[in-house]
Amino acid sequence: MSDNSGLAAERIHVTTDGTLLIDNVDCTVARGSLSALVGPNGAGKSTLLRALTAVQAPTSGSVTFGSDDLLGMPRRQRARLAAFVEQDATTDSALTVGMVVALGRLPHQSLWEADSPESAAIIAASLETVEMTTFREREFQSLSGGEKQRVMLARALAQQPQLLTLDEPTNHLDIAAQLAVLELLSSLRDTGVTVLAALHDLSLAASYCDHVIVLSHGTVVAAGATESVLTEELIADVYGVTASILRNPITGKPVIGFSPA
């Protein structure tokens, strides 16, 4: 049984072909929060997310969620607890959208439960949540990048995870769809799901996320409450640009403007 603490990673190292990609990272994500992982291109965000979810096992370190050892547990058990949405989804199989989303139910099913009414209802609800119901019989490979992203999010929702991690979930999406995804992640947070998303857009992170982890050159350089961490000074240091933090006159949420340093 998990306790009430969230995601905790300690001394995460990732080395590939002799190159150190993630260097002694410690980070935490509070249970039931929406947190952002940010940093310049090449900072190691995707690599760290893959290590935290054991998609790519770290060279060393530990990752827990509550009292559960994410790296040490069997893959099927981990998939009942945590879901990961990659940035660019591909499959070599000729699967329909409905079939792809149904894969999210596999960790919860035995063979004879595959077509249970409960699973069918969860799959339908997941598709509806990301507004892809009418695409259910479409071949996944025929979709645009943004449509594929929404299908993979539906697949993750079908897993009914307690921990949801996402690598650039707004990639390929237009502005309206980006906002819809962040609103969806906010609603999941409000139901108790712990969400960690790598985000390229700092304004989205500032507007929606409770907590932010800033990664640079494979190390965590800052972490904490979003408004206290994403300062103009930190953005200048990490990204090499001049930043101005303003307020959206409609929503009151932070908006970050940039100019060359």
Side-chain angles (χ1 to χ4, degrees), residues 81-98:
L81 179 68
F84 175 52
V85 180
E86 299 199 59
Q87 182 175 160
D88 292 302
T90 59
T91 176
D92 294 328
S93 303
L95 300 178
T96 66
V97 165

Side-chain angles (χ1 to χ4, degrees), residues 5-259:
S5 58
L7 180 70
E10 295 184 356
R11 299 182 300 279
I12 298 296
H13 280 76
V14 179
T15 303
T16 301
D17 297 329
T19 301
L20 182 62
L21 303 178
I22 299 296
D23 185 11
N24 200 37
V25 161
D26 293 345
C27 61
T28 60
V29 179
R31 186 179 288 267
S33 68
L34 171 52
S35 299
L37 178 63
V38 303
N41 289 341
K45 300 186 296 296
S46 297
T47 302
L48 180 58
L49 279 183
R50 292 170 71 86
L52 294 177
T53 52
V55 173
Q56 175 185 349
T59 307
S60 61
S62 65
V63 183
T64 57
F65 184 69
S67 59
D68 295 315
D69 176 4
L70 284 183
L71 302 183
M73 66 176 54
R75 181 178 178 182
R76 182 180 175 90
Q77 180 183 351
R78 184 169 54 246
R80 291 195 292 267
L81 179 68
F84 175 52
V85 180
E86 299 199 59
Q87 182 175 160
D88 292 302
T90 59
T91 176
D92 294 328
S93 303
L95 300 178
T96 66
V97 165
M99 291 174 180
V100 171
V101 177
L103 293 174
R105 297 302 304 154
L106 292 179
H108 299 276
Q109 297 169 336
S110 58
L111 182 61
W112 54 87
E113 293 173 323
D115 297 320
S116 71
E118 179 185 9
S119 283
I122 291 168
I123 292 165
S126 300
L127 283 165
E128 183 176 1
T129 297
V130 300
E131 300 182 346
M132 291 296 287
T133 300
T134 58
F135 290 73
R136 183 166 187 153
E137 300 306 321
R138 286 271 301 273
E139 188 170 316
F140 179 76
Q141 291 289 49
S142 71
L143 303 183
S144 69
E147 290 164 349
K148 288 179 178 177
Q149 193 79 352
R150 288 156 67 187
V151 172
M152 298 310 290
L153 179 53
R155 173 181 168 172
L157 295 179
Q159 282 180 238
Q160 297 184 301
Q162 297 178 45
L163 170 65
L164 175 62
T165 57
L166 311 98
D167 189 6
E168 298 288 357
T170 57
N171 194 28
H172 304 302
L173 301 181
D174 61 31
I175 295 171
Q178 288 180 26
L179 297 179
V181 166
L182 268 297
E183 291 289 346
L184 171 59
L185 297 182
S186 297
S187 69
L188 291 173
R189 177 265 318 275
D190 293 342
T191 66
V193 177
T194 303
V195 183
L196 174 62
L199 293 175
H200 178 74
D201 190 318
L202 293 183
S203 286
L204 289 178
S207 295
Y208 284 95
C209 296
D210 311 306
H211 175 270
V212 64
I213 300 166
V214 184
L215 202 65
S216 180
H217 301 292
T219 64
V220 173
V221 296
T226 303
E227 289 201 38
S228 65
V229 169
L230 284 186
T231 63
E232 295 171 353
E233 293 77 14
L234 178 131
I235 293 169
D237 288 343
V238 173
Y239 289 87
V241 298
T242 299
S244 297
I245 299 178
L246 311 170
R247 291 283 170 181
N248 185 314
I250 299 174
T251 66
K253 294 178 178 180
V255 176
I256 304 175
F258 304 99
S259 60

